[in-house]
Amino acid sequence: MSTRLARVVFDAERPVTVARFWAALLNWEVMVDRPGEVDIAAPDPDGPDVALTFLPARRAKTARNRIHLDLCSRSLDQQGVLVDRALSLGARRLDIGQGVVPWTVLADPEGNEFCVLEPREQYVDTGSVAAIVVDTRDPLRLAEFWSAASGWQLTHQTSRYAGIRAATGLGPWLEFLRSPQALGEHGRLHLDLVAFPSDDPVEETARLRAAGAVPVDRETAPGGDSPVGAPVAVLADPETNEFCLLQATID
């Protein structure tokens, strides 16, 4: 493994507005703010290193996203406070057919779905983001691909979902949830990997393709130039979720 999961990317009509919403909601800091891109991350240098990046949208949002964030809470009171904060910042409640559940489904100012979870023991040490959740037709198959791509370890699996996490035990889970939504459009969020500075990006691209990735036309692919590193390959996972392989910059 010579790549790591670097960021979750949001395509946004108003990148600055949506980035500020998420920074305020998570108590994260804006790390990059320039025309065409805003990056936010947890302020703790020893915390999770998966950032959120906001880029100009290439198309309107017309369907539910395949990827969404689950936010954690430490108590029912904190869950309520987090929901109220989100609503005060511009979120709205969302009915996606979830019925009566202990978590709250919301949408950010541009309609990107996310959940504020009730307290759960498995998320006590994740930080603000409990999980990055990917809708899929085959949870185990996609978890195995992203485990190979990111180096995160497969930690749990059932017929309905599977999860992987960094070996450090820090940061969010990456979870794969069986859902008919996986057959729909891609939505506004995607994941990006970054290669380590000492590694050959051509070899890393070949490794990812051997694991099941396929190349994507760069002209229609997500993302763009970034301080994290320029895209060296644009690929799609086994269920056509697009992602970029970035070359790390050396400070």
Side-chain angles (χ1 to χ4, degrees):
M1 187 281 298
S2 296
T3 56
R4 65 176 178 84
L5 181 61
R7 62 189 189 178
V8 181
V9 181
F10 288 65
D11 287 346
E13 295 176 13
R14 299 165 294 161
V16 172
T17 298
V18 184
R20 288 176 176 169
F21 166 85
W22 282 100
L25 180 59
L26 301 176
N27 288 320
W28 284 14
E29 296 179 353
V30 175
M31 301 300 184
V32 173
D33 186 353
R34 67 178 189 178
E37 179 175 344
V38 184
D39 297 348
I40 69 171
D44 182 357
D46 296 324
D49 59 357
V50 178
L52 303 184
T53 294
F54 301 84
L55 302 176
R58 297 171 295 123
R59 53 180 175 258
K61 185 178 188 298
T62 58
R64 203 173 104 196
N65 292 325
R66 290 190 187 184
I67 299 174
H68 73 269
L69 302 183
D70 280 353
L71 308 188
C72 71
S73 63
R74 305 287 182 255
S75 67
L76 292 177
D77 285 343
Q78 186 188 35
Q79 181 187 20
V81 168
L82 192 55
V83 169
D84 289 344
R85 183 195 303 169
L87 294 172
S88 71
L89 291 169
R92 59 183 173 86
R93 296 182 183 273
L94 199 61
D95 184 353
I96 56 172
Q98 68 269 24
V100 179
V101 292
W103 60 89
T104 301
V105 182
L106 301 171
D108 75 10
E110 289 200 357
N112 298 302
E113 304 85 2
F114 67 98
C115 297
V116 180
L117 302 180
E118 76 285 1
R120 299 186 189 182
E121 184 177 355
Q122 65 266 39
Y123 300 136
V124 296
D125 57 355
T126 60
S128 299
V129 179
I132 304 160
V133 183
V134 183
D135 289 339
T136 174
R137 291 170 289 179
D138 188 342
L140 181 57
R141 173 68 184 94
L142 213 56
E144 290 176 336
F145 169 81
W146 281 98
S147 177
S150 66
W152 288 16
Q153 299 175 345
L154 181 64
T155 60
H156 56 276
Q157 59 173 299
T158 69
S159 61
R160 185 170 178 267
Y161 68 93
I164 66 176
R165 197 181 188 197
T168 61
L170 297 174
W173 301 78
L174 183 54
E175 296 185 331
F176 303 88
L177 180 66
R178 188 181 300 278
S179 172
Q181 179 64 24
L183 300 174
E185 298 182 21
H186 294 94
R188 288 281 189 89
L189 279 67
H190 73 266
L191 307 178
D192 277 352
L193 300 171
V194 62
F196 290 95
S198 60
D199 293 314
D200 184 344
V202 175
E203 292 181 358
E204 287 309 305
T205 300
R207 186 183 67 82
L208 291 168
R209 293 189 64 177
V214 296
V216 172
D217 181 359
R218 183 177 292 270
E219 292 184 359
T220 62
D225 291 341
S226 167
V228 175
V232 295
V234 183
L235 303 165
D237 72 15
E239 291 197 8
T240 72
N241 297 299
E242 298 172 359
F243 66 95
C244 296
L245 172 62
L246 310 174
Q247 178 63 56
T249 57
I250 302 176
D251 296 331

